[in-house]
Structures are given as structure tokens and as C-alpha cells.
Amino acid sequence: MLLKVENVEKVFSTDHIEFKALHGITTEVGKGEFVVIAGPSGSGKTTLLNIIGTLDNPTEGRVFLDDRDISDLSESQKAELRLRSLGFIFQAYNLINVLSAAENVEYVLQLQGIAKADRRNRALELLKAVGLEGLEDRRPNQLSGGQQQRVAVARALASEPEMVLADEPTANLDQATGRELMQLMLDLNRDKGITFIISSHDEMVIEHARRLLRLLDGRIIADVRPE
Amino acid sequence: MRNLDSALLALLILASVSLAAIAQEDINATEIIERMENLMRSDSAYTEMTMDIVTPDWRRSLEMRSWDDRAGKRSLIHILNPARDRDTTFLRIDYQLWMYLPRAERVIKIPPSMMLQSWMGSDFTNDDLVRESSLINDYTHELVGIEEIEGLPSYVLNLYPKEGAPVTWGRIEAAISVDPFVPVRQRYYNRRGELDKEMIMSDIRDVGGRQIPVTWTMRTTDKQGHATVMHIERIDFNVDIPERIFSQQYLRNPR
Amino acid sequence: MRIFMAIAWRNVMRNKKRSFITAFAIAVGLTALIFMWSLFDGVYPMMIENMTSVFMGHIEISDPRYVEKPILDNAIVDGGPILEALAANPDVESYSPRLTTFGLVSFGENSQGAAIIGIDPELDRNLGLIDDFVQEGGTFFEGDDRYGIVIGATLAKNVDAGLGDEVLLVTSNRFNNLAYLGPLPIVGIVKSTVPEFDASTVFVDRLTLAREIFVDTSVVYTNPDAEVTDIAGVLTSVAVRVKDQHKLEQVRDDLQQLMPPNARVRTWSEIAPWFKQALDIDVVFGYIVLAIVLIIVVAGILNTVLMSVMERTREFGIMRALGTKGWQIFTTVSLESVFLGLLGLVIGSVCGIGLTLIFGQIGLDLYGSFDESMMGQFYILDSVLYPTLALDHFIITCVLIMVAVVLVSIYPARKASKMEPVAAIKALG
């Protein structure tokens, strides 16, 4: 199993209030799956995604990535993990503003110490794969929302991660563009076997799910594979 | 007891005589001064004198002659000896002072900045030559009593400068011997009441028809071991002084 | 590393206006500092030179009692050995004995008080001080002029005398007796940078003066020791120039060892401590300005970089999510500060050095700002100043600024590096 989530709880506390965002989440995701975590705002889907992505720590419970307990890792090790094994796509403002599309994609490769020539080629390849050939040297502010998300996808794939996590990737896009993005991700999942875990409350996204985890008030209320 | 009585009596007599003397003279403190001035001065005079300047390390002697027209506020002093200073001459008219320097053959007018400097190295200053103050007119006079000064019973008077008088002293103490009636000592006190200079007059001789002291010794308190001693060789009182004496020409050529 | 430099630099350029304003603030501060130091470095040597050159020399030797009360009684009458010691000392560049007294300069109807200074013309010329200031047409006792007098310009004007006019010097001798020299012709007129000097000084041959004021044929000695035997050894002070100004104190101590008990050796800063203090105050002033500039730099950088960091909270979060380590974020932000600082440094250096070089050539003319009487107070300054670029001050200033930049960037850099990815990502949308 690629990902195992065991009894994960998350409590957010401030001075006056404690808020339990996740109650005893347990689930597994296998390699090559295309999972959508669906639920209304506040249902905990972003929180869960963050925990899976090592961006946040569970208050209780454990997460295993490739049978490795990620809760035990130091910050530095988590960063390393994120760098090599995970890909992230966020809702918006995904990219580093001062770098071009290609440079954004190259960024993760640079962090890994990959040589310039190889980096450049790979970046161009990936940008081509997401349909952005010719736009490599454009800065994010010179790209549309959809194009920016495509760059994010390309970047997420750059380090050949085991898993790509996308948090509300279509939220800032119009329907048509959103669809295109979903299709892209599905194609990559099918063609390259890359595991996707996508959180969204968008019906259109949910439509595309090959496996659907429904969350409500921090609990999994459904786990289905709509075929 | 008897001796005491006698002593007391003697004292009383002496006191009453003195008191009587004083009482008689008290209102005449000014008269004493006037009489002294009349003795020592005249409207005009010709003087020949020597001046010895004494210090712990060396001494000098000057011979000079002078004409003094008191009434006209003019005087001329002509140095005769020694050779170095021969024919150095000073002409005073009013508050102005000129000096002839024979080796340079030049006359210079002595500026205010030089006035307080020593005159020819003596304990007198240039300013003393032009000082116009009159013991009679510029001072109030107070008779203190009779004391023995320099071996002679003398009137001791305090002279205080009058308001606005052109005088640098805070007080002058004048001692005039009762008999013979001659000045014996004058003490000059500065405005802070400190003794600045002292002049002792001694050697009473008959000069120019008067009995006056001919040796005048001036000492400055600050300069221990220094003294200026003047010997008057000759004074002609009330002479007629030719006008040409008090002139720039004569200044340059005083013979 | 290169990608962080690229990110840092491009971030600096992203907000051109803000970055340039910050860099400009630094540049202005640096320019001011460079110019100020250059002025000091150009002017100090001049001030010291003026101060010592007009009259004093680097070192002065005199009887300590003369220092307290400059009267002839406190002169040194056995100065022969002192002059010998000076002649033999290898650290001494030149020296000149002086016999100073006060008297009257008289010409025609005019007279004025003055300091009458007896000098040895050859030795004083070697000293190379006053003779530089002798005006056109005159000489400093050259050749036949040896037995004339050299007079300050203002003094000459006050007694209405010019070159060639014969002037009388009247004074008191050591015995308080009247003494005079002359009439002597004016062979040179001196116009120095020191107005008081020009108004109150007249030079004459020392031996001639010594014979007039230390010998008096009318005097009979009661104390034989009081008589002066070596007229050439009569002086009130000796002005000395040293070869190496940095060894000044050492030379002073060396000389003092060789001196008879009645001679005290002093450096110019001991003679005019107020002058040294004025210089020191200027240095303190310089450091105060430096501190102010550093504060500006710190404030500017802190403000700009902090703002920049705050604006990019989310971006940092994303970078962290991508696997960027904390120290890498730290480095990026630090580099931004460094680039800003360098930008300011470059602009400031160009302007500062440029200004210095320009004014170093044409000179900074103060004449308009100060009037003559004020210049009298500051007689240590010429009216035209020439700043000199001092490389060491320049480098130190730049280094200090960069250090300040780096230090102040620690705060925003740490802040950025410590951001939790999640919190950062949540920060915007």
C-alpha cells in the first residue's frame, strides 16, 4: 500500500476554543489510484490532505507512506520527502512569481541537484505534456489561471513523485478550463500511473473521481468507486 | 603705688598734650598736607639728581636733570649718564609723553600700552611722570595720630581719593615728621588695601633754600630686594624756564 | 544556490521603486560618509600643517617657567647644549631657536605693540615655515637683508610702513631698562594664514636682539652668575620639526632625556591642546554621522525586506511545500538584503568617490560662507579645502554598511524560514 492513514485526528486549539477537524480517519490508498476527497467547506478535506502531504501533523494517529511512518520524521526529512516523493498543486498562486514557467518546473529539479541541461529538457518535456509548449519562458503573471495550473501540474510531476496532492485545483478556474485540467490529470494517471489525491467540493471534479471519499465534519462518511 | 601714680600721671599729661596737639591740628590735616606740598614743590623747578636702581643681582646708576613747569603741566627729563643712556630725553606735556632715543635719532610718543611700563628700569612707571594728581585736591585727609616713623615723631595721615579723582591708589599713608617738618614716609595702597609701594625720604639737607630730604628710596612690595634710590644734588625752586626747553627741538637736542 | 540568487535578485527587481528608494537612501548615506571622511582626510593634515607650520613647528622647547610667564627672566640663557643636542639628533629635520620679547614697533607718528622675535635666519629658513609666507619683493633675511626686519602684513599696514621703510623697535631689556633696535629697514612682509600673527609679529636677527636686551653696559653685577656668558645661547624657545610625525611622542621623549633641567619639550598638541581636542571632536562627529547612516541603512533594509517577506508569505509556504528547506528560504531573504545593500553601496560609492574626486580637483571653496574674521578663529583652515579619498575609511565604511545589512536581514530571513507551510499557504486565499 502506498498510503495508509490510521486513526488520524486533528484538533485545532486557540486560547479559548478547541476545534476537532478530523475524527479517527482511517483509510488506504494504493498506487495508481485517482482519489477525490469530497466534502463541504469545513469538512476537513484540506486538513487531511495537508497531513497526508506532511505539511501538517496529526494530533492523534499515524500516516504511513510506503510503510514508513511519516509522523516520526524531522522537518528536514519531511522536506526531503516532499521534494522527492510528493507533488503539490494548490488552489491558486501555485507558482513562484519571479520565475518563468520553465524555471518553476525546474525549481524542484534544482533542489534535487539535477544538472542544468537535464533540468531544462525535462521541464520543456513536461510543459509540452501539459500542453504549454511555447509558453515556457512566460512569467506567471503572463499566463492565464488555467495555464498557471497546468504549470503547477507540470511542476508537480517534475520529480516523478509517487503521489500528487491537489487541493481544490479547479476552484479558481472556469468550468471549461477546469474540465481540461481534470482531463489532463486523468490522462496522466492513466498513462503514467501517477497516483492523484484531489480534494474538492466541485461537482465537476467529483464526477471525474475513480474513487470518492466523502468527508463530513471530519469523518469519512463514504468511500466508493463510482465506475 | 607711688610709681604707678606717677606713671599714670605722665601718661595723662602726654595724652592730653597729644590730644591738645591733635585737637589743635585735627581740623588741619589738610593744612599739614598743604604745608608739606608747599615745602616740597614749587610752580617751577630745575633739578639735578642721580637715581640708583638696585636688584639682588645687579645695580645701575643714572644721572639726570629735569625742568618741571608744574603750573603749565610740562616737564623735561634729560639723562646725562651713563654712556649707554646719555641724551635719552623725556618730554611731558599734559598727559602726553615723548621720548628721544639718541642712538636711533628718533622721537617716539609713548602709547598708552607703554605707560605702565617701568621708567628707565626704575620702580617708577612712565605713567608716574604724567600723573597729575594733587595730594591736596584729589584726596581727603585724615589725621590718624602721631607715631614714631623712621626714628622721628611724625604726623600720620590717611589720604583717600576723592570721588572721580584721576588716582590709581586706594589709599596713601603719609608720614610727616613734626620737627623738622619734612615728609619721612609715604605708603601707597592699592584698591584692595594691599601695600604696593613705599617711599622713604631721608637725609635732610638745605637745598635751594629749603630743608628737605634729599634721598628718596622707593620700594615695591612685589619685588623683594629691589629698590630705586634718588639723590637730589640740586634743586632751584621757582626758576624761570625758557620756553624752548619744552619743545620737540630741544627734546632732540638737549644740550 | 544559483536559483536562490536568481530568486533573490529578481525579487529585488520586482518592486523597482521600493528597492531603488531603499538603495538610494543607503547611497545617500554612503555618499555623505565618503565625502565627509574625504574632507577630514584632506583637511586634517592641512590643519595640522597650518597650525604647526605658521610658527610653532611640531615640537617646542622652552623653560617651563617661561610657559607660565613669558618674561625675559624666564628665558634660557645657556641654550648652547640644547642646540647641539638638536643638531645631533637624527629624528630632527630642522630646528630654530627664538628669542621672543614684547615691545613697540614705531614708524613716524605710528606705533603698535608687537612680539619681537629674534631668529637665526638660516636655521629658521630650514624650518621652512614662515619664509614661505613672505610676500612678493621681500626676502626672509637673505644675503644683505640679514640685519633688517621682517614684519607681519597687518602690522606693517597699521604703522603705515612698507618694504624698505625703516622702523624702530622699542622694548625693555632684561634689566628692565629701555632698549631699542633700529631704525631697521623692512626687508620682508609676511602674510600667513593666521591673522593674529600678521598683526602682531616682527622678526629680527636673534643675536642682534640678544646683545641689545641681555647686555647692558650701565649694569654692575653684584651676582656674577647673573651675567650672560654665551650670547648665542640666549633664547626663549626652540621650534623643532621632526622627520616622521608618527614618531612625534617618541622624539619628544628622546629629546627630553637630553635636555638640561630648565628645558621642557612639548609637542604641538600639548601646546595647543584645544586644537587637538577640536580635531578629536571632529572624529567623534564623524563616527556619529556614521552611526546615523547605519541606522538609516538598517531601518531602510529592515522595512523593505520585511515588507517583501510579508507579501510573499504564501509563496514561501509553497516553496516549503515543494521541499525547500528552512535555511534555503533564509538564504534567499538574506540575499535580497545583500543585493539591496550592494545596490546602495555601488550607487553611493560612485557618487561619493565622484564627488570627492571632483572637489579634490577644483577644491571646496568656503570663502563665501565664512567671513574673514571667522576665518581668523578657524585659522587652521585655508579658505579652499581639498578632500582626499582615504581608501581605508572608504572600505571600512562599506564593510560596516554591509555588515549592518546582513545583520538586520537576519530578522526577516528567520521569520520567513520559520513559516509553517500550512499557515503560510493559508495566508492568502
Side-chain angles (χ1 to χ4, degrees), chain C residues 345-359:
Chain C
L345 232 54
V346 165
I347 298 174
S349 299
V350 167
C351 292
I353 294 178
L355 264 180
T356 300
L357 289 177
I358 291 173
F359 281 106

Side-chain angles (χ1 to χ4, degrees), chain A residues 125-195:
Chain A
E125 234 179 72
L126 287 164
L127 285 171
K128 190 168 166 190
V130 299
L132 291 178
E133 191 168 4
L135 301 175
E136 302 90 10
D137 295 322
R138 293 234 187 140
R139 294 271 181 103
N141 59 3
Q142 294 164 317
L143 299 170
S144 72
Q147 288 167 332
Q148 286 181 36
Q149 291 301 64
R150 282 171 189 263
V151 176
V153 172
R155 183 188 64 196
L157 299 174
S159 45
E160 290 178 343
E162 301 188 33
M163 205 160 63
V164 172
L165 304 171
D167 188 17
E168 310 260 11
T170 61
N172 282 27
L173 304 174
D174 63 79
Q175 276 282 332
T177 318
R179 266 184 209 282
E180 279 173 23
L181 188 67
M182 288 309 298
Q183 195 55 55
L184 173 60
M185 291 196 282
L186 271 170
D187 289 344
L188 289 167
N189 171 256
R190 189 188 54 230
D191 297 338
K192 312 232 179 192
I194 299 169
T195 314

Side-chain angles (χ1 to χ4, degrees), chain B residues 163-182:
Chain B
E163 193 80 30
V167 150
T168 51
W169 305 114
R171 168 169 73 99
I172 298 178
E173 184 208 78
I176 296 126
S177 148
V178 178
D179 182 38
F181 189 89
V182 288

Side-chain angles (χ1 to χ4, degrees), chain B residues 104-159:
Chain B
E105 292 178 357
R106 289 278 202 278
V107 168
I108 66 166
K109 184 162 173 226
I110 295 182
S113 55
M114 251 182 99
M115 286 308 269
L116 288 175
Q117 287 180 27
S118 155
W119 183 81
M120 295 301 289
S122 72
D123 288 82
F124 297 97
T125 64
N126 289 319
D127 193 58
D128 291 335
L129 266 59
V130 307
R131 187 103 42 75
E132 255 294 289
S133 61
S134 152
L135 288 182
I136 299 171
N137 296 321
D138 292 324
Y139 292 84
T140 60
H141 318 108
E142 174 201 54
L143 181 59
V144 170
I146 296 181
E147 286 170 36
E148 187 170 301
I149 307 283
E150 301 289 313
L152 294 168
S154 312
Y155 298 113
V156 178
L157 296 90
N158 274 332
L159 281 63

Side-chain angles (χ1 to χ4, degrees), chain A residues 10-199:
Chain A
K10 181 68 184 177
V11 177
F12 292 108
S13 44
T14 66
D15 290 337
H16 325 283
I17 289 183
E18 265 191 14
F19 169 60
K20 204 163 194 179
L22 296 175
H23 297 75
I25 303 284
T26 303
T27 187
E28 287 175 1
V29 173
K31 197 160 169 18
E33 292 211 44
F34 194 90
V35 181
V36 175
I37 302 179
S41 334
S43 54
K45 43 187 203 305
T46 302
T47 311
L48 180 58
L49 211 62
N50 285 338
I51 289 172
I52 292 170
T54 76
L55 297 176
D56 200 356
N57 296 314
T59 326
E60 299 270 355
R62 306 216 267 181
V63 178
F64 296 87
L65 207 55
D66 261 343
D67 295 320
R68 206 160 63 166
D69 188 347
I70 62 171
S71 352
D72 281 345
L73 299 179
S74 71
E75 273 313 309
S76 191
Q77 287 166 318
K78 286 186 188 171
E80 199 59 25
L81 188 66
R82 291 196 294 269
L83 182 60
R84 296 185 190 275
S85 311
L86 300 176
F88 287 89
I89 301 169
F90 299 101
Q91 183 173 318
Y93 306 108
N94 266 293
L95 308 178
I96 297 170
N97 263 308
V98 295
L99 299 177
S100 69
E103 283 168 340
N104 262 289
V105 176
E106 281 184 60
Y107 182 72
V108 293
L109 298 173
Q110 271 205 312
L111 290 180
Q112 292 174 12
I114 293 172
K116 175 107 185 127
D118 299 333
R119 289 200 309 259
R120 179 91 181 149
N121 288 336
R122 181 127 178 85
L124 293 175
E125 234 179 72
L126 287 164
L127 285 171
K128 190 168 166 190
V130 299
L132 291 178
E133 191 168 4
L135 301 175
E136 302 90 10
D137 295 322
R138 293 234 187 140
R139 294 271 181 103
N141 59 3
Q142 294 164 317
L143 299 170
S144 72
Q147 288 167 332
Q148 286 181 36
Q149 291 301 64
R150 282 171 189 263
V151 176
V153 172
R155 183 188 64 196
L157 299 174
S159 45
E160 290 178 343
E162 301 188 33
M163 205 160 63
V164 172
L165 304 171
D167 188 17
E168 310 260 11
T170 61
N172 282 27
L173 304 174
D174 63 79
Q175 276 282 332
T177 318
R179 266 184 209 282
E180 279 173 23
L181 188 67
M182 288 309 298
Q183 195 55 55
L184 173 60
M185 291 196 282
L186 271 170
D187 289 344
L188 289 167
N189 171 256
R190 189 188 54 230
D191 297 338
K192 312 232 179 192
I194 299 169
T195 314
F196 277 85
I197 303 182
I198 303 166
S199 81

Side-chain angles (χ1 to χ4, degrees), chain C residues 193-221:
Chain C
T193 55
V194 186
E196 289 86 5
F197 181 83
D198 293 348
S200 62
T201 320
V202 62
F203 293 94
V204 75
D205 178 69
R206 182 173 66 102
L207 288 179
T208 309
L209 183 64
R211 280 191 207 103
E212 178 63 21
I213 63 178
F214 272 84
V215 177
D216 188 325
T217 52
S218 67
V219 158
V220 174
Y221 287 95

